[in-house]
Amino acid sequence: MSSLSEKDRPIVQLLLSTGTCPRCVLRFCCVGSQMLYRHPHKDLMKNLQEFLKNSQEKEDTVCLDVADPPCKRIRLEHGEEGADDLNHNGAIPSADDGNSATESSAVKVCNVCLGILQEFCEPDFVKKVCQKVNSADYQFTSFVFSVSLPPQLSVRERAAWLGVKQQMRNLGLPLAKDDIIQLKEAYKWIIHPQLSEELGVPADGKSLFEVSVVFAHPETDEECHFLATACPDCFKPAKNKQSVFTRMAVIKALEKIKEEDFLKHFPCPPSSPKNLCDALEIQCNNGAVFVAGRYNKYSRNLPQTPWIIDGERKLESSVEELISEHLMAEFKADSFNFSSSGREDVDVRTLGNGRPFAIELVNPRRIRFTAEEMRRLQQAINDSSDKIQVRDLQLVTREAIGRMKEGEEEKTKTYSALIWTDKAIQREDIAFLDDIKELKLDQKTPLRVLHRRPLAVRCRLIHTMKSEYIDEHHFRLHLKTQAGTYIKEFVHGDFGRTKPNIGSLLNRTADILELDVESVDVDWPPTLAD
């Protein structure tokens, strides 16, 4: 095995004799050749046995031919003597003992990786993962593979590493923990080519399609618990965590605990388990897909989002649901998140070019749609209801959605309000409104939204107004305003919480009967050809 050198012999001998699998042996010998890890388990064990045998024969030859053994031989003797430091947990055997140990440990579950680099690297498990992926019916052109490991693996790896560290110290050679090949990395070296071949697509760290495996090992679950006593500050309860013994908490504690304290509580080398890890979950997840467009709302009895008060639904549908139910079905997503450039009240229509919106489709099975398919989807939404219509429906990126939210305070909106006055009016009574430009308002949070918005006074602008006389008690007012202006309150004053207001300007009581949004001046998403 060309990647191993003479300095690795005591490490190989120690680890194999204590029940460590061949791939974990390579990790602790800092072997960085990915191809070696992909060799069959039996071949690796045979090669390691051959390596130990050849090393021993080479030493015997040197001892016979050279009067004074070289320093390497002396260092090896020191290593064997130094092993007495570990004898209370497991001494290093001779070369012959090592070979017999490797033979007996061939069928044992690895005392470091708990079988991750054994059974779970085999073709049968790879096929099981791929069957799960294929049955989930996802569209994908590449994949990223992730693994969730039991936290106690870090404890066992630390125990094995302390034994290796002692050996290297006895040999007079340095060993940093960072030099060891991480278990996850080695596992992915082995599993990636097999998954790629079986799924027919490449592994790509930037892929939006994730295949994940969650491993657990109930037999050794309690092996982390001593760390909570030694390092209580590392284990804090969290609402979204079932256990305080998370992998990151365990790693943090292992970095903090002193070696001598660790060795008092945990055997070095770690004992051999009876059972393999369990693959608790094999999951697939596609990155979110984002769909944008503009919607018109023609109903005065339709909220933008589900209207639920104290757990009771007030109206049967919403703009959000009328659009999303079609997208959810076509994209086969788990859930969605709806956002828009502002919102209108339940009794307000949205006309003109409509209001920009975006929907995040979470974990979609289908992700590829042609422009024609998107047009058909848009038509299906429009045919399903006379309360809304959508236009410019298209796939967008997550980054592009930011443009919808940019300039919330700077963008303008145009409204049409039907206004009633208690006192009779003539055309000349409202004509002066047309001449008012950039009218500054101070709007205290309206009473109707105070339950969900913080109390504050907001300065807003009415850029222009144009009045349209109807009769002695009614007129229509067209307004161009700063985004975020409360139009209803500008009309009736909200008991003096909006100043000035139409009532105060006309010196009479005014109220709003109807309100329409005529335009939302956001140049997004891009307009599509019909």
Side-chain angles (χ1 to χ4, degrees):
M1 189 168 286
S2 59
S3 293
L4 295 177
S5 61
E6 182 60 29
K7 68 178 178 59
D8 297 315
R9 176 178 171 270
I11 299 173
V12 174
Q13 203 167 340
L14 168 66
L15 292 175
L16 287 182
S17 69
T18 55
T20 305
C21 73
R23 293 185 176 110
C24 280
V25 171
L26 295 181
R27 293 197 301 117
F28 279 89
C29 290
C30 310
V31 175
S33 170
Q34 297 185 22
M35 291 303 299
L36 272 180
Y37 290 86
R38 294 168 188 163
H39 289 182
H41 183 274
K42 290 182 179 179
D43 291 353
L44 286 173
M45 182 65 80
K46 182 179 178 181
N47 289 340
L48 288 175
Q49 290 174 351
E50 194 68 27
F51 168 74
L52 290 178
K53 180 180 179 182
N54 291 342
S55 296
Q56 184 64 50
E57 290 175 353
K58 183 178 179 181
E59 277 187 8
D60 292 342
T61 303
V62 170
C63 289
L64 288 171
D65 295 344
V66 182
D68 297 315
C71 292
K72 183 184 294 185
R73 173 65 182 183
I74 295 171
R75 286 200 300 272
L76 287 174
E77 288 174 351
H78 286 173
E80 288 167 0
E81 291 168 3
D84 290 342
D85 295 339
L86 296 175
N87 269 344
H88 64 286
N89 289 315
I92 300 174
S94 66
D96 291 338
D97 292 338
N99 288 336
S100 61
T102 57
E103 290 168 8
S104 64
S105 67
V107 295
K108 288 183 180 179
V109 178
C110 176
N111 67 337
V112 178
C113 72
L114 301 177
I116 301 290
L117 298 183
Q118 295 172 297
E119 289 293 321
F120 297 103
C121 295
E122 296 300 315
D124 285 348
F125 181 69
V126 173
K127 287 181 180 178
K128 181 180 178 180
V129 173
C130 293
Q131 286 171 358
K132 176 73 173 181
V133 174
N134 292 330
S135 66
D137 197 27
Y138 282 88
Q139 280 185 343
F140 57 95
T141 55
S142 62
F143 71 92
V144 60
F145 182 68
S146 65
V147 186
S148 176
L149 301 176
Q152 60 266 35
L153 282 181
S154 298
V155 178
R156 286 178 161 267
E157 188 167 275
R158 170 59 61 90
W161 176 69
L162 288 176
V164 171
K165 180 182 176 183
Q166 178 66 55
Q167 281 302 98
M168 297 299 280
R169 184 186 297 132
N170 292 338
L171 290 169
L173 298 171
L175 177 69
K177 182 71 164 65
D178 291 341
D179 292 340
I180 297 174
I181 304 299
Q182 296 301 303
L183 196 157
K184 278 189 179 183
E185 187 174 13
Y187 187 56
K188 290 179 181 180
W189 287 349
I190 302 164
I191 211 83
H192 272 173
Q194 298 184 68
L195 287 174
S196 292
E197 183 176 356
E198 194 75 22
L199 294 173
V201 296
D204 181 358
K206 295 182 179 180
S207 176
L208 295 178
F209 180 65
E210 179 184 34
V211 179
S212 61
V213 180
V214 178
F215 289 108
H217 195 258
E219 179 187 338
T220 58
D221 270 348
E222 296 184 0
E223 290 184 347
C224 302
H225 292 190
F226 76 93
L227 292 171
T229 303
C231 307
D233 292 344
C234 297
F235 300 93
K236 300 291 177 73
K239 291 181 180 179
N240 60 339
K241 299 292 184 181
Q242 294 182 349
S243 170
V244 296
F245 296 101
T246 63
R247 183 170 172 272
M248 292 309 299
V250 168
I251 289 174
K252 187 177 179 182
L254 289 173
E255 291 172 349
K256 193 173 182 180
I257 193 171
K258 295 179 180 178
E259 286 186 14
E260 54 267 30
D261 292 335
F262 179 91
L263 292 172
K264 288 177 184 176
H265 294 91
F266 200 84
C268 177
S271 59
S272 294
K274 295 178 181 178
N275 303 303
L276 286 165
C277 272
D278 296 326
L280 282 188
E281 297 177 358
I282 301 172
Q283 298 177 329
C284 303
N285 189 79
N286 237 340
V289 170
F290 298 87
V291 176
R294 286 177 172 262
Y295 73 80
N296 292 107
K297 179 166 87 77
Y298 302 120
S299 171
R300 296 197 187 277
N301 196 35
L302 183 70
Q304 187 194 62
T305 55
W307 192 9
I308 300 171
I309 300 177
D310 296 330
E312 182 181 349
R313 184 163 190 140
K314 296 301 181 182
L315 293 170
E316 65 178 16
S317 192
S318 65
V319 173
E320 172 187 292
E321 291 165 297
L322 290 174
I323 298 174
S324 64
E325 64 183 15
H326 294 273
L327 298 180
M328 287 284 289
E330 290 297 321
F331 283 83
K332 300 178 182 177
D334 285 351
S335 59
F336 69 91
N337 296 305
F338 180 92
S339 60
S340 63
S341 182
R343 59 187 299 142
E344 66 284 315
D345 291 338
V346 62
D347 58 350
V348 175
R349 297 187 302 177
T350 299
L351 308 176
N353 287 331
R355 186 185 297 278
F357 73 90
I359 294 182
E360 176 187 12
L361 294 153
V362 180
N363 192 24
R365 272 62 174 177
R366 187 180 177 190
I367 58 174
R368 295 190 294 273
F369 284 79
T370 65
E372 179 58 33
E373 288 173 327
M374 291 301 292
R375 280 193 290 271
R376 287 201 295 265
L377 181 52
Q378 174 177 293
Q379 191 61 48
I381 295 171
N382 292 340
D383 290 343
S384 68
S385 173
D386 59 359
K387 294 181 179 181
I388 66 161
Q389 293 279 285
V390 298
R391 67 182 68 197
D392 301 328
L393 195 69
Q394 57 196 278
L395 292 168
V396 296
T397 64
R398 182 189 296 271
E399 292 73 26
I401 291 178
R403 295 185 57 189
M404 183 177 70
K405 294 297 184 181
E406 285 174 3
E408 283 285 343
E409 298 301 317
E410 288 72 30
K411 72 173 184 285
T412 59
K413 295 184 179 180
T414 305
Y415 297 89
S416 173
L418 179 60
I419 298 172
W420 167 88
T421 61
D422 64 336
K423 296 178 183 179
I425 56 172
Q426 300 300 320
R427 294 181 188 276
E428 55 268 24
D429 294 327
I430 60 173
F432 76 98
L433 296 174
D434 297 4
D435 298 326
I436 297 177
K437 311 295 182 187
E438 305 302 326
L439 177 64
K440 292 183 179 180
L441 308 182
D442 287 327
Q443 291 199 302
K444 191 176 289 187
T445 304
L447 292 172
R448 64 187 173 91
V449 300
L450 197 54
H451 66 285
R452 56 184 171 88
R453 295 279 176 87
L455 178 61
V457 177
R458 298 171 179 85
C459 182
R460 294 290 185 262
L461 287 175
I462 304 294
H463 297 299
T464 62
M465 290 184 282
K466 183 174 177 57
S467 59
E468 182 183 323
Y469 182 80
I470 298 175
D471 59 36
E472 289 184 342
H473 292 281
H474 300 88
F475 71 99
R476 188 169 293 280
L477 188 63
H478 300 275
L479 311 93
K480 188 170 187 178
T481 75
Q482 179 183 358
T485 304
Y486 291 105
I487 305 302
K488 291 178 179 179
E489 283 67 26
F490 170 59
V491 173
H492 58 62
D494 199 25
F495 301 100
R497 297 169 71 86
T498 291
K499 298 178 181 179
N501 55 71
I502 292 296
S504 66
L505 292 171
L506 295 177
N507 195 25
R508 65 200 68 200
T509 299
D511 205 352
I512 188 165
L513 302 180
E514 291 179 355
L515 180 62
D516 293 329
V517 179
E518 294 191 329
S519 72
V520 179
D521 300 329
V522 177
D523 187 22
W524 189 89
T527 301
L528 300 180
D530 292 335

